Amino acid sequence: MEHLCIRIGDDERTGLVVLDEVNGFCTVGHGNLAPRAPDAQVERMVDETVRIAREFRSRHLPVLAFLDCHDPNKPENPYPPHCLVGSGEEELVPDLKWFEDDDEVVLVRKDCINGFVGAMRPDGSNTVVDWINANKIQRILVVGVCTDICVLDFVATMTSVRNHGISPPLEEIVVYAQGCSTYDLPLAVAKEIGAVAHPQDLAHHMGLYLTAARGAKIVDSVQFAAEIHPNGVKKV
């Protein structure tokens, strides 16, 4: 895969989308799809998301975050129960809980794989479309979990949103590879809980390949333009 980098400045019309970085996918021991032991891919994703989100908000750039959140009576086949309401699995990971204290971060609790569908309102309007239009966002930067499931579905839908002019400002969808991850479910464990085995590295790379095939740009580095702070120190 070609090594690509994006550089973001203060005057960018770029919005950050964070997909499902909740305990049920990221925090050790928090459910069927959470890591069973410390997981380097997941930890890297969270660390990079925190870094990027802090930069976005310090520059007053828009952020939207999805939280996977399911009704116990509505199973999401073929996946085992996860991120059930009231379990704590559906809550943001500790390092991102500050989203809840920032009134300008848009939080969307979704009960389906596709975040765009989960953002539909009863009146037919859509939170994602309104967020893009209100902020005149020309490019979205996508991070989160799972690369081959929720990230892939959201990105594939957003390429259609762009291509069909559903949200006219939107021109580009970018997926940050180091800011995404997926879960690891070995065959033996999958059999125990009645699920399908899910090899992490293979699934992650398949997800990235398919998002690129749908028209997204895959990058492996996100940098921010230099900024002069009041103390005269240049931040890069």
Side-chain angles (χ1 to χ4, degrees), residues 75-168:
E76 188 177 57
N77 296 322
Y79 308 106
H82 62 280
C83 301
L84 302 181
V85 175
S87 67
E89 296 176 23
E90 83 283 22
E91 296 297 329
L92 287 163
V93 295
D95 286 347
L96 292 175
K97 287 291 282 185
W98 59 272
F99 279 0
E100 298 174 355
D101 299 321
D102 187 333
D103 292 338
E104 295 187 16
V105 173
V106 176
L107 300 180
V108 180
R109 293 189 179 273
K110 66 179 182 66
D111 65 350
C112 60
I113 294 171
N114 191 316
F116 188 85
V117 174
M120 294 296 297
R121 302 189 186 99
D123 65 0
S125 63
N126 187 283
T127 303
V128 176
V129 170
D130 291 348
W131 175 72
I132 291 172
N133 293 342
N135 291 285
K136 298 181 174 60
I137 293 170
Q138 296 176 327
R139 174 173 65 185
I140 57 172
L141 173 62
V142 182
V143 297
V145 63
C146 298
T147 321
D148 55 315
I149 306 171
C150 293
V151 172
L152 172 60
D153 274 32
F154 177 74
V155 168
T157 300
M158 293 310 298
T159 58
S160 291
V161 168
R162 176 197 62 191
N163 293 347
H164 292 279
I166 294 172
S167 192

Side-chain angles (χ1 to χ4, degrees), residues 177-191:
Q178 312 302 318
C180 293
S181 72
T182 192
Y183 68 96
D184 189 46
L185 194 61
L187 180 59
V189 177
K191 287 182 176 179

Side-chain angles (χ1 to χ4, degrees), residues 30-41:
H30 278 61
N32 289 318
L33 300 185
R36 284 159 173 73
D39 186 295
Q41 188 186 96

